[in-house]
Amino acid sequence: MSFTYNRIVRFQDTDAAGVVYFANVLGICHEAYEESLRASGINLKAFFTHPSVGFPIIHANVDFFRPMFCGDNLAISLIPQKLGVDKFELSYEIAVADVVVAKAITRHVCIDASSRNKQELPGEIIQWLETNRRDAEGAERRKSREIL
Amino acid sequence: MSFTYNRIVRFQDTDAAGVVYFANVLGICHEAYEESLRASGINLKAFFTHPSVGFPIIHANVDFFRPMFCGDNLAISLIPQKLGVDKFELSYEIAVADVVVAKAITRHVCIDASSRNKQELPGEIIQWLETNRRDAEGAERRKSREIL
Amino acid sequence: MSFTYNRIVRFQDTDAAGVVYFANVLGICHEAYEESLRASGINLKAFFTHPSVGFPIIHANVDFFRPMFCGDNLAISLIPQKLGVDKFELSYEIAVADVVVAKAITRHVCIDASSRNKQELPGEIIQWLETNRRDAEGAERRKSREIL
Amino acid sequence: MSFTYNRIVRFQDTDAAGVVYFANVLGICHEAYEESLRASGINLKAFFTHPSVGFPIIHANVDFFRPMFCGDNLAISLIPQKLGVDKFELSYEIAVADVVVAKAITRHVCIDASSRNKQELPGEIIQWLETNRRDAEGAERRKSREIL
């Protein structure tokens, strides 16, 4: 099963049109990424606060199918994929009551935080990528079998 | 017992000094308020989205005792108090591992959202105020007894 | 010349990695869109606050080439394009000291805000699209001539 | 004259009630502080990004008199005051079309960023405090004379 993060839409996520402000949806996806790292035992303070190795986002995209409202209970599922020795990509699907309301992708590169040169993904991230990838594939296989 | 909301500090809550950006602490307090309303059965979408009766904040203050870091597990306890027929106040205490790191207050007035004139607090809010006040007083009494 | 919006990076735009948080870059692009609307005489309060006709974003993407730091002076240029009777797209280029640091796109659809059904773009938006498109084309032509 | 920062209210500053989200007002005040530092020649990147000396906020408060809407042109005036060898306070007044809509205060302490021990305010901040204080007093005196 792919990792799923549950998140209530907060008042501050919304804008004067009465729905979630578009860029905040990417922030909520990033929370799912953080929660998945935390679930695998990674220390978020060390990982994100002035780290020596960083994973900045080089690309993000998001498609919106339905508006999200204050109080909505979002289920954000996350599937990571290794893209090379120094890159990975995360695919997010956001659902409200089993209806997909948005999909997003973030692409990350691994860098030495002081030189900002690319470097190979460290062991803990490779392990996190593999665990979550395998979980997601298992879920896909189960879904296919159910369809058959 | 007073209502308590648990919240992990997210990367987007932080700033380039490596800690939670000061104004975001008030946003996190507001999340505790929203969660307390939700726990008492209030529909957040109707309550916060272009409502006919609103509860805008007329005053807020916050004291910071220690910095908060990405990944910190915050416990925000909330005690509401009715201040008159058309006003209430919320006191927040934020703790990390039982150490209080910040305290805040927000003061709200009840208005007709279109005219923006003050009006009396509606029944559902009075009930929410009383329930949470009583819970909090019970917790205070228990605490005093433990000290004795 | 394409419309350009200048914006200093603020402390709250940054995160604990010391650079602008990725999703905030899309928020800054949206500011450029707002400023361009304002420059053409559109009333932002009426346009964005519980409007009867809305222009929600259905797709956004962003590529990051270099990190942005607190205090950086961003120049965000904006080129809009009509995509049909009910859609338009905005292309953004963000530069710091003439170096492009990020590029983004937002795609908007015109809807009746209460039914959320698609509807044709109103006159003031068509005029804004045409003015800014023409300005941008002029700039492109001038650039080509300079190269020759 | 006290330092004044002009700022258009952006769509992302607002919430589903159609007005500026309360905590964002403190963020806008902090922008005025940053702009005032920048105007006096302080490098914001060095000042705010993993600095060796920091000025965290230990207290903030804000009073709201009128709602602020998307597109509103805010004039935020700023008066700093030294509170001791290691503390200062900033008073903010936000006006829209000469009507004061909010007032706020932030109190800052000077610390060594790695040990987080208090330390004396450095020269550049003392100078900034004095320049802005004197400017503000001049404005007050002029205002009093005009009244006479």
Side-chain angles (χ1 to χ4, degrees):
Chain A
M1 213 189 70
S2 64
F3 181 84
T4 300
Y5 169 63
N6 288 285
R7 167 68 150 74
I8 303 295
V9 172
R10 300 297 170 196
F11 190 41
Q12 64 181 318
D13 300 320
T14 64
D15 58 34
V19 300
V20 175
Y21 181 70
F22 84 111
N24 291 344
V25 173
L26 284 171
I28 292 170
C29 288
H30 201 278
E31 290 181 19
Y33 162 48
E34 294 170 47
E35 197 57 24
S36 168
L37 292 172
R38 204 171 74 96
S40 81
I42 289 172
N43 180 299
L44 296 185
K45 182 179 170 184
F47 192 88
F48 284 110
T49 314
H50 313 172
S52 53
V53 179
F55 304 89
I57 290 168
I58 51 171
H59 172 80
N61 68 64
V62 53
D63 289 285
F64 302 94
F65 310 122
R66 296 199 185 190
M68 290 162 253
F69 296 93
C70 189
D72 274 358
N73 196 337
L74 308 179
I76 303 105
S77 67
L78 172 78
I79 299 179
Q81 187 176 6
K82 200 164 168 286
L83 292 184
V85 292
D86 55 9
K87 275 199 202 78
F88 63 89
E89 184 178 280
L90 305 177
S91 303
Y92 312 86
E93 206 173 82
I94 305 183
V96 177
D98 288 328
V99 176
V100 177
V101 297
K103 285 187 180 195
I105 282 172
T106 56
R107 204 166 294 140
H108 303 243
V109 67
C110 180
I111 62 165
D112 176 287
S114 46
S115 71
R116 299 200 76 91
N117 289 329
K118 285 183 194 174
Q119 67 159 65
E120 289 193 15
L121 296 166
E124 67 174 5
I125 278 292
I126 291 176
Q127 203 182 331
W128 170 77
L129 286 164
E130 281 173 2
T131 308
N132 282 277
R133 186 66 188 154
R134 210 172 315 120
D135 286 358
E137 278 168 358
E140 286 303 310
R141 269 200 299 278
R142 272 192 301 280
K143 229 188 254 176
S144 309
R145 254 182 268 133
E146 280 162 25
I147 291 161
L148 294 173
Chain B
M1 213 190 69
S2 65
F3 181 83
T4 300
Y5 168 62
N6 288 286
R7 166 72 148 72
I8 304 294
V9 172
R10 300 297 171 196
F11 191 41
Q12 64 181 319
D13 299 321
T14 64
D15 58 34
V19 301
V20 175
Y21 181 70
F22 84 110
N24 291 344
V25 173
L26 284 170
I28 292 169
C29 288
H30 200 278
E31 291 181 20
Y33 162 48
E34 295 170 45
E35 197 57 24
S36 168
L37 293 171
R38 204 171 74 96
S40 82
I42 289 172
N43 181 299
L44 297 185
K45 183 179 169 183
F47 192 88
F48 283 111
T49 313
H50 313 170
S52 53
V53 179
F55 305 89
I57 291 168
I58 50 170
H59 171 80
N61 68 63
V62 53
D63 289 285
F64 302 95
F65 309 122
R66 297 201 184 187
M68 290 161 253
F69 297 93
C70 188
D72 274 359
N73 195 337
L74 308 179
I76 303 104
S77 67
L78 172 79
I79 299 179
Q81 187 176 6
K82 200 164 168 287
L83 292 185
V85 293
D86 55 9
K87 275 200 202 77
F88 63 90
E89 183 178 280
L90 306 177
S91 303
Y92 312 86
E93 205 172 84
I94 305 183
V96 177
D98 289 329
V99 175
V100 177
V101 297
K103 286 187 179 194
I105 282 171
T106 56
R107 205 166 293 139
H108 303 243
V109 67
C110 181
I111 61 166
D112 175 288
S114 46
S115 70
R116 300 200 75 91
N117 288 331
K118 284 184 195 175
Q119 67 159 65
E120 290 194 16
L121 296 166
E124 68 173 3
I125 278 291
I126 290 175
Q127 201 182 333
W128 170 77
L129 286 164
E130 281 174 1
T131 308
N132 282 277
R133 186 67 190 153
R134 210 173 315 119
D135 286 358
E137 278 168 357
E140 286 302 311
R141 269 200 301 276
R142 272 192 300 281
K143 231 188 253 176
S144 310
R145 255 182 267 134
E146 279 163 25
I147 290 161
L148 295 174
Chain C
M1 213 190 69
S2 64
F3 182 83
T4 299
Y5 169 61
N6 288 286
R7 165 71 148 75
I8 302 295
V9 172
R10 300 298 172 194
F11 190 40
Q12 65 181 319
D13 299 321
T14 63
D15 58 34
V19 300
V20 174
Y21 181 70
F22 83 111
N24 292 344
V25 173
L26 284 170
I28 292 169
C29 288
H30 200 279
E31 291 181 20
Y33 162 48
E34 295 170 45
E35 197 56 24
S36 168
L37 292 171
R38 204 170 74 96
S40 81
I42 290 172
N43 180 300
L44 295 186
K45 183 179 171 184
F47 192 88
F48 284 112
T49 313
H50 312 171
S52 53
V53 179
F55 305 89
I57 290 169
I58 51 170
H59 171 80
N61 69 62
V62 53
D63 289 284
F64 302 95
F65 309 122
R66 298 204 182 183
M68 290 161 253
F69 296 93
C70 188
D72 274 357
N73 196 336
L74 308 179
I76 302 104
S77 67
L78 172 80
I79 300 178
Q81 187 176 6
K82 199 163 168 286
L83 292 185
V85 293
D86 55 9
K87 275 200 202 76
F88 63 90
E89 184 178 279
L90 306 177
S91 303
Y92 311 87
E93 207 172 82
I94 305 182
V96 177
D98 288 328
V99 176
V100 177
V101 297
K103 285 186 179 194
I105 283 172
T106 56
R107 205 166 293 139
H108 303 242
V109 67
C110 181
I111 62 166
D112 176 288
S114 45
S115 70
R116 299 201 74 90
N117 287 330
K118 285 183 195 174
Q119 67 159 65
E120 289 193 17
L121 296 167
E124 67 173 2
I125 278 292
I126 290 176
Q127 202 182 333
W128 170 77
L129 286 164
E130 281 173 2
T131 308
N132 282 278
R133 185 69 189 153
R134 210 173 315 121
D135 286 358
E137 278 167 358
E140 286 302 312
R141 269 200 300 277
R142 271 192 300 280
K143 231 189 253 177
S144 308
R145 255 181 268 135
E146 280 164 24
I147 290 163
L148 294 173
Chain D
M1 212 188 69
S2 64
F3 181 83
T4 300
Y5 169 62
N6 288 286
R7 166 71 149 74
I8 303 294
V9 172
R10 301 296 171 196
F11 190 40
Q12 65 180 319
D13 298 321
T14 63
D15 58 35
V19 300
V20 175
Y21 180 70
F22 83 111
N24 291 344
V25 173
L26 284 171
I28 291 168
C29 288
H30 201 278
E31 290 181 21
Y33 162 47
E34 295 170 46
E35 197 57 23
S36 168
L37 292 172
R38 203 170 74 97
S40 82
I42 289 173
N43 181 298
L44 295 186
K45 183 179 170 184
F47 192 87
F48 284 111
T49 313
H50 313 171
S52 52
V53 179
F55 305 89
I57 290 168
I58 51 171
H59 171 80
N61 68 63
V62 53
D63 289 284
F64 302 95
F65 309 122
R66 297 203 183 185
M68 290 161 253
F69 297 93
C70 189
D72 274 358
N73 196 337
L74 308 179
I76 303 105
S77 67
L78 172 79
I79 299 179
Q81 187 175 6
K82 199 164 168 288
L83 292 184
V85 292
D86 55 11
K87 275 199 203 76
F88 62 90
E89 184 178 280
L90 306 177
S91 303
Y92 312 87
E93 206 174 82
I94 305 182
V96 176
D98 287 329
V99 176
V100 177
V101 296
K103 284 186 180 196
I105 283 172
T106 56
R107 205 166 293 139
H108 303 243
V109 67
C110 181
I111 62 166
D112 175 287
S114 46
S115 71
R116 300 200 74 91
N117 288 331
K118 284 184 194 172
Q119 67 159 63
E120 289 193 15
L121 296 166
E124 68 173 3
I125 278 292
I126 290 176
Q127 202 183 333
W128 170 77
L129 286 164
E130 281 173 3
T131 307
N132 282 277
R133 187 67 188 154
R134 209 170 319 118
D135 285 359
E137 278 168 357
E140 286 304 311
R141 267 199 303 274
R142 270 192 301 280
K143 230 189 254 177
S144 310
R145 254 180 269 134
E146 281 163 23
I147 292 162
L148 294 175

